[in-house]
Amino acid sequence: MTRRPHRPHLPQERPDSTAPLPPPELTEAECRRCGTYIAGLDGRYACGVCGWVNDHSEGHRRLPRADEDPDRPPEGRRRPKQLPWRMPEPEPEPREGARDGRDAGP
């Protein structure tokens, strides 16, 4: 398999400012696999029809670092552990007048 050429990596800017990041720009393009008209943020696309996704490095600006994420949980707080199994769903209760799960005849 041949590797796809990538643009040269630009030096990452690391501003020490706490100013909020500018809002992302809505961009539009055609899917490279199926030709569907798709929209994305800052040149990053994912096609909902065929599943094609472009590489994150093709975006118009750098992605924010984890410490710049406004939704990041505070230090020391962890996500709750997920249960290793699914919770059983309750069985439906039989209706009145039904026998063996079937309706009573007339």
Side-chain angles (χ1 to χ4, degrees):
M1 182 159 113
T2 351
R3 296 183 118 195
R4 186 174 67 192
H6 292 284
R7 295 185 294 173
H9 292 284
L10 301 174
Q12 296 289 330
E13 302 161 4
R14 296 208 171 218
D16 293 332
S17 139
T18 58
L21 294 172
E25 178 187 351
L26 184 63
T27 53
E28 300 165 342
E30 279 188 12
C31 172
R32 293 182 196 159
R33 185 183 294 164
C34 69
T36 303
Y37 187 72
I38 54 178
L41 296 175
D42 292 331
R44 293 177 179 92
Y45 304 104
C47 179
V49 175
C50 70
W52 172 81
V53 177
N54 73 332
D55 192 68
H56 74 280
S57 64
E58 296 177 27
H60 298 163
R61 59 179 141 174
R62 73 173 181 82
L63 291 170
R65 298 186 316 261
D67 60 344
E68 296 171 327
D69 183 2
D71 298 326
R72 184 179 184 187
E75 238 1 86
R77 184 173 164 213
R78 292 193 222 163
R79 289 185 176 173
K81 288 186 176 181
Q82 297 292 320
L83 297 175
W85 63 88
R86 294 182 70 178
M87 297 294 291
E89 295 185 19
E91 294 183 23
E93 294 183 22
R95 296 185 315 201
E96 285 187 38
R99 294 182 210 140
D100 298 331
R102 293 180 282 177
D103 289 335

